[in-house]
Amino acid sequence: MAKVKTRQAKQKVADMTVDELAELVRQILRDELKFLCSVDDEGNLVFWCEEAYAKYVELVGKKPSEVKAYWVEGGMKFRYSDDEVTPELAKELDEAKREPLVPEEKVLAELRRIGVSV
């Protein structure tokens, strides 16, 4: 899209057409977001931090599954889930956190026993 051409540097918003104002807003968003994200080969927006991704998802007002976007951290891709933590799921997660962990030595011994090289 073409850049908005203002008639004068101090033009009032009231003097702009709706199309000019909409294009100005798009231009500002592009300028603000161009350093925070890029587009990958599949057309997804790739954000370089979670905060920028979260702000974008909030800005477009859609569920994360409806937005073709993710952020990269430590070389891994992340995106938010549409799932909401229900009281039942929160209880299940708390119980899982309290379960005892299997010691590393036991896991390694079992892997060796079944022939996995570690």
Side-chain angles (χ1 to χ4, degrees):
M1 292 187 178
K3 291 200 174 213
V4 175
K5 296 177 184 174
T6 56
R7 290 179 213 111
Q8 52 184 328
K10 302 264 182 184
Q11 179 182 5
K12 295 180 183 178
V13 173
D15 296 335
M16 298 176 81
T17 67
V18 172
D19 289 340
E20 287 175 328
L21 180 60
E23 181 55 31
L24 178 62
V25 170
R26 283 189 212 95
Q27 184 178 329
I28 291 168
L29 285 173
R30 277 194 302 272
D31 290 347
E32 291 297 315
L33 294 176
K34 71 180 171 187
F35 296 110
L36 297 175
C37 72
S38 61
V39 179
D40 69 8
D41 294 337
E42 298 169 2
N44 294 295
L45 288 176
V46 181
F47 290 89
W48 302 111
C49 66
E50 180 181 2
E51 293 79 19
Y53 168 84
K55 188 180 280 188
Y56 174 76
V57 171
E58 181 182 340
L59 178 70
V60 297
K62 294 182 178 181
K63 292 182 177 184
S65 65
E66 299 171 328
V67 176
K68 290 183 65 175
Y70 59 88
W71 80 92
V72 177
E73 190 173 308
M76 296 176 61
K77 297 177 183 180
F78 294 93
R79 70 181 70 215
Y80 289 156
S81 168
D82 293 343
D83 297 333
E84 293 184 27
V85 179
T86 61
E88 296 82 18
L89 179 58
K91 182 179 175 185
E92 186 179 322
L93 291 171
D94 286 339
E95 289 172 2
K97 288 179 189 175
R98 284 188 242 118
E99 289 181 9
L101 298 176
V102 178
E104 178 182 3
E105 301 81 35
K106 285 187 177 183
V107 173
L108 292 174
E110 179 63 18
L111 288 172
R112 286 187 192 106
R113 186 186 71 72
I114 62 173
V116 175
S117 176
V118 286

